[in-house]
Amino acid sequence: MLDKVIHHDFSDEVEALLSSMTLEQKIGQMTQAERQEISPEEVREFHIGSVLSGGGSCPGNNRPADWISMCDAYWQASMQADENHLAIPLLYAVDAIHGNANVLGATVFPHNIGLGACNEPELIEQIARITAREILATGVDWTFAPTLAVARNDRWGRTYESYSEDPAIVSSYSRHFVNGMQADLGDEAVIACAKHWIGDGGTLHGIDQGETTASFEELEKIHMAPYLPALAAEVQSVMVSFNSWNGDKCHGHQFLVTEILKQRLGFDGIVISDWDGIDYLSDDPKEAIRLSVNAGIDMFMVSVEWRDFIQNFRELLSQNLISMSRVDDAVRRILTVKYRFGLFNKPRPAARKFSNDSQYGSAEHRRLAREAVRKSLVLLKNDNQILPLKKHERILVAGRNADNRGAQCGGFTVEWQGTTGNDSVEGGTSVWEAIKGISSAAEYSIDGQSADRSRHDVAIVVIGENPYAEGMGDIRAGDDVIIEAGSMIRGKMNVLEPYGSSLELAELHPQDLETITTIAEKGIPVVCVLISGRPLVVNAELEKSHAFVAAWLPGSEGQGVTDVLFGEHDFQGKLSFSWPKHKDQQQNVGQANYDPLFPYGFGMRY
Ligand code: GLC
């Protein structure tokens, strides 16, 4: 038995409010709709408990002021009591998973895969604290983070959202992230959400939303372990995962959601569904609702069809297919979290302490992000000590990702799938911009064509992936690997177009090897910097480079890369993911016949 997690007690307030609520108001509190599908008036009319922004769903000009006025309008509507509507303040939620990166001008931190390489839990707490400040600056209450996935297959499009293939690193971070984000539920708090429960990183072939086949012991040891510190830190919400476990969808899994998470682990916050995740349970929407409510989900991210959800829910109750005690359990949890978060005592978003905070995107915040970048870099090769570079060296900068802040940031940045180019990542620096700031003589040639041995002593070539998110980041050799049980929506497959069909970079983006080759053939030594959301097979690129740095998805502060390339700081990063030898290999630390190209924990220093 695990110690039951003890929370502050608001039972008197909650029971008093619960007992005064109508059925309509209770069902409304259990409903979360997407901002583009609901007006403030409808929030009041249907007593909606929460509204979210899906990735890239941004109001107005996507400035903090636009977010505040949007959150303010929804909050005001939720608080406008009348004979039908009780004033119960609404929660607004976003995916601020590496800074409040939906919003223009935000500080964009490295994605989790890079933070895992820092192996510095205290840094995670600082990052979460600063991220909370930049979320509060926009009037938002709740972020769907931390992702506690333990990604076991690099082909998964969400590998970069995972700190490590090793549950020990993820576990060492989870409490710190929750503490940093929730700040003892004081007035600097943002509600955190541990996700996705459970086994999201363990699917066969790394198929997003696919099938995780594992014994309960394995599920507990690898995928559940990181949740224990998060629960102990009183995380106030947990999001259920799209994947299935041994063929059964998590969204309908009463054992995993109620018996394990709520009863055995004592979680007493909000269990929320993922985006239309209940649709996986049946092609009959009513049956899907029945299964997911009775599994123990409390709040339903029913994004678009929230009206049908409410109507179907009401019918299920009248048919006694859902019990009032289950509804009261869900609403009790939702109200308790709102009380714990102090939401009933907060002023309107526009009048809150940190709304429009001057520190949003500030140099101070960016310094922390820059520190995280340099600590996340992993040095895989450094022949002839070509690194650290000297500032007087005549440098050529090349590569698709050299001058691309969007590529540095990856998915969940301004757009769901991320962006490309520099313009949409305001306030940051690309690697090229950072180098230009150090060496005025540096030259730029994206494909390396202007490389000239008489003019260039060394080339920095920045290569790697374009931004992606979720299933659109999957690597799949072919559709035959899709696990039927893993991706059904109303009887249809819901498998997004994958990123590519091979983990080999030379197959995904051959122009990177071409650029390196163009330069190396002229006798100019190459320092290669890989911008990627996962380890990739880069044998050919490695062989032609004198030095090779894994930079992951560093975010807006490209200067963190040059801080190390030019020796201001030494490398600190150690691989939190094993590096594959060839494209059909999948290695995880601790497995039998462990034989990666670079092992978990590898990382050179000067
Ligand atoms: C997505 C993701 C989840 C995210 C949610 C809201 O589908 O699975 O991680 O929090 O929808 O954007």
Side-chain angles (χ1 to χ4, degrees):
M1 271 297 270
L2 290 141
D3 295 340
K4 181 164 171 44
V5 179
I6 307 299
H7 282 310
H8 315 294
D9 185 326
F10 287 95
S11 52
D12 293 348
E13 297 87 339
V14 169
E15 294 312 320
L17 182 50
L18 187 64
S19 60
S20 65
M21 289 171 73
T22 65
L23 178 60
E24 302 298 318
Q25 289 159 357
K26 291 179 178 178
I27 298 173
Q29 281 300 306
M30 296 171 70
T31 306
Q32 181 185 68
E34 215 282 338
R35 59 172 278 276
Q36 299 172 77
E37 304 299 330
I38 192 165
S39 67
E41 297 66 43
E42 289 167 321
V43 159
R44 188 174 60 76
E45 184 185 346
F46 291 88
H47 325 291
I48 300 299
S50 176
V51 174
L52 87 146
S53 278
S57 175
C58 307
N61 298 321
N62 193 18
R63 301 286 173 190
D66 300 297
W67 284 78
I68 289 167
S69 57
M70 171 186 69
C71 292
D72 208 56
Y74 282 123
W75 182 89
Q76 295 260 49
S78 71
M79 296 301 280
Q80 226 173 336
D82 62 22
E83 64 282 0
N84 296 319
H85 181 68
L86 275 177
I88 300 177
L90 169 130
L91 283 172
Y92 200 93
V94 294
D95 289 288
I97 64 172
H98 64 138
N100 194 8
N102 280 305
V103 191
L104 292 175
T107 306
V108 183
F109 289 91
H111 269 295
N112 289 349
I113 190 168
L115 299 179
C118 305
N119 207 350
E120 200 174 300
E122 300 68 33
L123 183 63
I124 300 308
E125 188 154 342
Q126 293 172 50
I127 290 172
R129 187 83 303 274
I130 296 302
T131 300
R133 284 290 294 270
E134 296 205 6
I135 293 169
L136 293 173
T138 60
V140 168
D141 306 299
W142 184 9
T143 180
F144 298 130
T147 299
L148 297 181
V150 180
R152 307 288 284 178
N153 191 318
D154 303 333
R155 289 157 193 76
W156 187 33
R158 306 191 74 166
T159 296
Y160 67 77
E161 295 182 63
S162 170
Y163 294 114
S164 178
E165 68 190 32
D166 176 4
I169 288 187
V170 188
S171 299
S172 73
Y173 280 12
S174 69
R175 176 167 54 80
H176 288 279
F177 185 97
V178 172
N179 287 339
M181 187 58 68
Q182 294 194 161
D184 294 330
L185 295 172
D187 67 2
E188 299 196 24
V190 169
I191 297 173
C193 180
K195 71 184 187 181
H196 310 79
W197 182 265
I198 187 65
D200 49 353
T203 60
L204 292 178
H205 309 294
I207 303 254
D208 186 42
Q209 310 186 355
E211 157 62 16
T212 294
T213 302
S215 66
F216 181 75
E217 290 63 35
E218 211 176 336
L219 199 67
E220 215 175 15
K221 183 163 67 79
I222 294 175
H223 301 288
M224 286 185 185
Y227 284 77
L228 304 190
L231 295 176
E234 302 193 342
V235 67
Q236 290 298 300
S237 63
V238 171
M239 186 182 293
V240 178
S241 188
F242 285 121
N243 65 272
S244 44
W245 176 48
N246 297 339
D248 297 318
K249 278 292 177 188
C250 291
H251 274 75
H253 217 293
Q254 203 265 357
F255 171 71
L256 290 178
V257 176
T258 296
E259 288 182 44
I260 299 300
L261 179 60
K262 289 184 169 181
Q263 293 171 353
R264 188 183 301 182
L265 299 182
F267 176 62
D268 65 356
I270 299 171
V271 174
I272 184 167
S273 75
D274 200 337
W275 185 282
D276 298 345
I278 66 174
D279 293 349
Y280 289 78
L281 302 177
S282 167
D283 53 9
D284 167 9
K286 269 177 77 173
E287 177 62 2
I289 296 167
R290 186 186 70 81
L291 290 167
S292 52
V293 173
N294 291 334
I297 294 178
D298 304 311
M299 186 178 274
F300 293 80
M301 189 190 301
V302 283
S303 61
V304 177
E305 294 160 7
W306 55 271
R307 292 176 189 79
D308 296 349
F309 171 78
I310 291 171
Q311 178 54 35
N312 285 326
F313 200 127
R314 201 185 294 122
E315 288 170 19
L316 286 162
L317 273 167
S318 62
Q319 296 159 351
N320 292 318
L321 293 172
I322 292 175
S323 70
M324 266 322 291
S325 63
R326 177 69 266 279
V327 168
D328 285 346
D329 168 47
V331 178
R332 192 170 283 122
R333 287 165 177 268
I334 293 164
L335 297 179
T336 300
V337 169
K338 289 186 174 185
Y339 271 110
R340 284 176 184 155
F341 178 57
L343 192 60
F344 285 88
N345 300 323
K346 285 183 192 292
R348 54 189 290 189
R352 290 180 191 166
K353 182 177 175 184
F354 293 106
S355 291
N356 254 326
D357 184 24
S358 61
Q359 284 299 303
Y360 174 86
S362 65
E364 184 194 337
H365 289 184
R366 292 179 188 281
R367 263 193 299 281
L368 180 66
R370 180 171 173 173
E371 174 189 345
V373 173
R374 67 174 172 79
K375 291 180 171 179
S376 68
L377 306 178
V378 181
L379 181 59
L380 299 178
K381 181 179 182 182
N382 190 20
D383 286 358
N384 315 328
Q385 301 307 308
I386 188 169
L387 287 177
L389 298 172
K390 320 293 179 288
K391 292 184 181 177
H392 63 268
E393 286 184 282
R394 297 171 304 166
I395 297 167
L396 174 72
V397 178
R400 290 173 30 255
N401 286 341
D403 190 27
N404 194 327
R405 297 180 201 163
Q408 282 170 208
C409 292
F412 290 96
T413 306
V414 181
E415 299 294 339
W416 176 46
Q417 291 295 316
T419 65
T420 190
N422 291 335
D423 299 347
S424 56
V425 183
E426 291 182 3
T429 46
S430 68
V431 175
W432 161 238
E433 289 168 324
I435 293 167
K436 225 176 9 180
I438 292 169
S439 157
S440 54
E443 291 181 16
Y444 175 59
S445 163
I446 190 165
D447 57 8
Q449 286 304 326
S450 60
D452 177 339
R453 188 71 190 87
S454 67
R455 292 197 348 264
H456 303 127
D457 302 319
V458 63
I460 299 172
V461 186
V462 188
I463 60 173
E465 295 183 305
N466 301 327
Y468 52 77
E470 304 190 45
M472 296 179 82
D474 279 4
I475 296 274
R476 262 200 315 275
D479 282 354
D480 57 313
V481 298
I482 292 172
I483 307 299
E484 184 78 6
S487 303
M488 302 297 281
I489 278 200
R490 296 196 180 132
K492 294 190 292 297
M493 298 306 288
N494 174 50
V495 184
L496 298 170
E497 192 57 31
Y499 185 82
S501 58
S502 163
L503 269 181
E504 188 152 341
L505 181 62
E507 292 178 17
L508 286 172
H509 298 289
Q511 62 272 47
D512 287 344
L513 180 58
E514 287 159 19
T515 301
I516 293 169
T517 306
T518 299
I519 296 168
E521 279 176 347
K522 295 182 180 173
I524 300 169
V526 168
V527 171
C528 198
V529 177
L530 177 67
I531 300 285
S532 69
R534 59 190 134 209
L536 292 169
V537 175
V538 288
N539 302 338
E541 295 82 356
L542 263 167
E543 197 265 328
K544 289 184 185 284
S545 303
H546 278 67
F548 201 97
V549 176
W552 317 110
L553 296 174
S556 56
E557 306 312 308
Q559 288 167 312
V561 176
T562 47
D563 287 344
V564 180
L565 294 186
F566 287 87
E568 294 289 304
H569 294 272
D570 195 351
F571 284 92
Q572 164 176 325
K574 304 283 180 200
L575 291 179
S576 64
F577 284 85
S578 309
W579 202 280
K581 241 182 192 142
H582 54 78
K583 64 183 181 180
D584 301 321
Q585 191 186 53
Q586 179 50 47
Q587 299 281 294
N588 289 307
V589 60
Q591 73 172 68
N593 310 317
Y594 185 61
D595 176 34
L597 182 66
F598 299 109
Y600 169 92
F602 180 86
M604 296 167 66
R605 299 175 68 103
Y606 286 142

